[in-house]
């Protein structure tokens, strides 16, 4: 039966991995401003590092990441030399008393790196920053890149979490998205990293893919569950061909409609919960013993450019072309174009070209939006404790929205704004109510469901 709320609340809105969101970054945040922010990091602050490798040896047509296809290793080797220069320059500005508590290698395909280059990159990071003894090191993995020497290199750099993109195991779906990856191959990767001591495995599943049905998704979820991953991300395919031209290779007429997407989402979520996974935010699931599940239960869940996280670091430093960082003063993004990024890194180290310095109102609204995305509600007393009288304006906004809404997606209980079970699938849309930038026409976004 058609859900009457779908057409009303599934419009195009941001994913809210930041606030303000990236379309509102500007050139006022440059290398000079970024250097000031880096110097302000103190020994009392924890640091999280994100390292971007913008290359793939095959281009998945569903992907919305900043990456490029290459069958030659030379461009990657040249890029790594520039990346090391940026790492050294950033590290020289940050207090050595500040500890790195998390490192995330993303892409693209960081597992394309040759074993010695992967180890060399970690050596450069450890030379530039002070690592905490219990640092978490996570790597996004393409199973088709991996071999025994790469597994050994990943163990050598201390990888603690492996993240595998699966999407869907059905051959017709895989062909339509140019991502051929068998269950048997995926299982061999999970077995290999666990044999080398990796304590946490994450698998990504997509719904809303071309030719995907509830039946194909059911089989994929069953296969994933047989691997017993610690975390599972259940994402809706974001069809944004105006941003990612390779997505034009996907025929829109074979994409599931809105109602079918919604049904796929609910089916997969129900299967994961029935299997014992706890829902985390709008699209993650974790075993009860996993750190993310514990953080969600204890109200410590956060959201950044990697999605949901239990990472409590005060500063996220992005390294590599297009990487985005989040520091106490605001957000900063590196040069996206790989060639120009390399020129900037080779000539001065820093490569920041845009960002935004957050205002007092931005901080307040960011807190509200993160609370909605992570905890499906906002405690007004907590807002007042942090923001004082400034919180009252947004409390009034929340009360007015809850009072005016007749669809049962949210309400005010006592001194709290609460998203109901009916409203949880539309959390992004509800968060957008508090986004003061959204109406100015900058940026196009994927649908909210």
């Amino acid at each position: 039966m058609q859900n009457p709320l779908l057409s009303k609340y599934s419009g195009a809105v941001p994913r809210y991995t930041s606030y303000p969101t990236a379309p509102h970054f500007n050139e006022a945040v440059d290398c000079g401003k970024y250097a000031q922010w880096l110097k302000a990091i103190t020994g009392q602050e924890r640091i999280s590092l994100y390292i971007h490798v913008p290359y793939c040896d095959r281009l998945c047509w569903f992907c919305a990441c900043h990456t490029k296809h290459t069958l030659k290793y030379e461009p990657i080797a040249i890029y790594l030399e520039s990346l090391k220069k940026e790492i050294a320059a950033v590290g020289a500005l940050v207090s050595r008393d500040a500890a790195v508590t998390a490192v995330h290698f993303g892409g693209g395909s960081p597992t394309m790196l040759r074993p010695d280059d992967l180890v060399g990159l970690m050596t450069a990071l450890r030379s530039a920053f002070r690592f905490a003894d219990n640092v978490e090191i996570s790597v996004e993995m393409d199973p088709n890149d991996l071999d025994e020497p790469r597994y050994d290199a990943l163990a050598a750099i201390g990888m603690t979490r492996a993240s595998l993109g699966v999407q869907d195991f059905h051959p017709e779906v895989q062909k339509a998205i140019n991502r051929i990856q068998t269950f048997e191959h995926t299982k061999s990767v999970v077995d290999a990293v666990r044999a080398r001591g990796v304590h946490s495995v994450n698998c990504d599943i997509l719904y809303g893919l071309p030719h995907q049905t509830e039946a194909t998704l059911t089989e994929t979820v069953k296969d994933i569950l047989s691997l017993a991953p610690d975390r599972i991300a259940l994402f809706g395919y974001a069809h944004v061909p105006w941003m990612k031209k390779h997505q034009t290779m996907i025929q829109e007429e074979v994409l599931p409609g809105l109602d079918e997407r919604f049904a796929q989402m609910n089916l997969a979520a129900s299967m994961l919960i029935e299997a014992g996974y706890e829902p985390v935010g709008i699209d993650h699931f974790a075993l009860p013993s996993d750190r993310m599940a514990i953080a969600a239960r204890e109200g410590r869940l956060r959201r950044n450019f990697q999605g949901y996280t239990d990472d409590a670091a005060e500063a996220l430093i992005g390294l590599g072309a297009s990487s985005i960082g989040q520091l106490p003063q605001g957000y900063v993004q590196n040069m996206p174009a790989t060639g120009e990024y390399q020129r900037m890194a080779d000539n001065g180290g820093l490569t920041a070209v845009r960002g935004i310095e957050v205002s007092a109102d931005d901080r307040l609204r960011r807190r509200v939006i993160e609370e909605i995305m992570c905890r499906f509600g906002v405690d007004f007393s907590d807002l007042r404790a942090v923001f004082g009288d400034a919180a009252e304006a947004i409390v009034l906004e929340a009360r007015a929205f809850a009072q005016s809404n007749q669809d049962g997606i949210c309400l005010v209980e006592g001194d709290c704004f609460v998203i109901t079970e009916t409203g949880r699938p539309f959390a992004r849309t509800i968060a957008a109510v508090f986004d003061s930038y959204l109406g100015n026409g900058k940026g196009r976004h994927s649908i909210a469901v």
Side-chain angles (χ1 to χ4, degrees), residues 376-412:
F376 299 110
V378 182
D379 187 319
F380 297 150
S381 62
D382 286 347
L383 281 188
R384 295 185 185 100
V386 176
F387 298 99
D389 292 342
E392 293 307 322
I394 212 155
V395 169
L396 290 175
E397 289 182 31
R399 290 186 181 277
F401 178 68
Q403 185 176 6
S404 66
N405 186 272
Q406 301 299 310
D407 296 316
I409 63 172
C410 62
L411 50 84
V412 172

Side-chain angles (χ1 to χ4, degrees), residues 9 13 16 369 372 401 409-410 417-420 423-424 426-435:
Y9 294 111
V13 293
Y16 290 115
I369 289 171
I372 288 171
F401 178 68
I409 63 172
C410 62
F417 176 79
V418 178
I419 299 178
T420 64
R424 288 191 174 195
F426 313 111
R428 285 171 59 189
T429 303
I430 296 171
V433 170
F434 303 95
D435 184 342

Side-chain angles (χ1 to χ4, degrees), residues 82-302:
S82 299
L83 176 58
K84 289 176 184 177
K85 292 175 183 177
E86 186 201 1
I87 290 169
V90 171
L93 296 171
V94 175
S95 170
R96 293 290 295 191
D97 293 330
V100 172
T101 56
V103 180
H104 185 90
F105 292 88
S109 298
T111 45
M112 276 188 71
L113 300 188
R114 290 172 177 166
D116 56 339
D117 282 337
L118 187 58
V119 173
L121 184 55
M122 179 56 79
T123 299
L125 290 167
R126 287 187 173 273
S127 296
F129 300 94
R130 183 176 71 86
F131 277 40
D133 293 337
N134 60 344
V135 60
E136 288 282 344
I137 299 173
S138 58
V139 182
E140 295 176 12
M141 309 176 75
D142 181 350
N144 294 282
D145 292 333
L146 292 162
D147 52 26
E148 291 301 310
R150 282 185 170 86
Y151 288 130
D152 291 340
L154 289 166
I157 69 169
M159 181 176 70
T160 60
R161 177 172 297 110
S163 184
L164 287 78
V166 172
Q167 325 328 329
D168 190 296
F169 283 124
H170 193 275
E172 185 179 24
V173 176
Q174 291 191 350
K175 183 179 179 181
I177 63 175
N178 199 37
R179 174 83 176 199
I180 307 303
Q181 178 180 322
T182 66
F183 168 73
E184 291 74 20
H185 193 177
T186 304
K187 183 178 185 302
S188 72
V189 174
V190 174
D191 292 343
V193 298
R194 283 177 170 159
R196 288 166 172 80
V198 170
H199 68 73
S200 180
V201 172
N202 173 82
C203 290
D204 292 347
I205 305 174
L206 283 183
Y207 63 88
L209 290 170
H211 298 294
Q212 196 175 42
T213 66
E214 291 183 61
T216 68
L217 186 57
T218 295
E219 292 307 308
T220 292
V221 174
K222 287 180 179 178
D223 285 342
I224 291 296
L225 288 173
S226 73
L227 302 176
D230 303 87
R231 299 177 182 179
I232 297 173
L234 177 64
F235 298 129
Y237 165 56
H239 191 59
V240 288
W242 59 87
M243 290 175 55
K244 300 298 177 181
K245 298 302 181 185
H246 54 264
Q247 289 190 353
T248 59
M249 300 295 292
I250 293 178
Q251 299 175 357
E252 294 189 2
E253 60 268 24
V254 296
L255 290 172
L258 186 58
D259 291 312
E260 178 62 14
R261 280 176 63 98
F262 194 64
Q264 290 176 4
M265 178 190 72
N266 286 323
L267 170 68
S270 297
M271 292 179 66
L272 297 175
I273 292 170
E274 185 176 350
Y277 287 79
E278 294 185 1
V280 176
I282 63 171
D283 52 21
H284 279 56
F285 299 81
L287 293 175
S289 58
D290 184 83
R291 286 176 45 171
M292 183 178 286
I294 295 170
R297 290 197 301 270
E298 295 180 352
R300 296 183 289 102
L301 187 67
R302 298 183 66 189

Side-chain angles (χ1 to χ4, degrees), residues 331-346:
Y331 301 97
V332 60
Q333 183 173 22
N334 284 350
M335 166 59 69
T338 308
E340 185 63 15
Y341 162 82
Q342 290 171 183
R343 186 194 66 78
M344 293 179 70
D346 293 347

Side-chain angles (χ1 to χ4, degrees), residues 299-325:
R300 296 183 289 102
L301 187 67
R302 298 183 66 189
R303 191 162 173 82
N304 63 22
F305 291 101
Q306 282 86 63
Y308 288 109
T309 180
D310 62 327
D311 181 9
E314 290 82 7
L316 167 61
I317 295 176
L319 299 160
S322 82
S323 286
I324 298 177

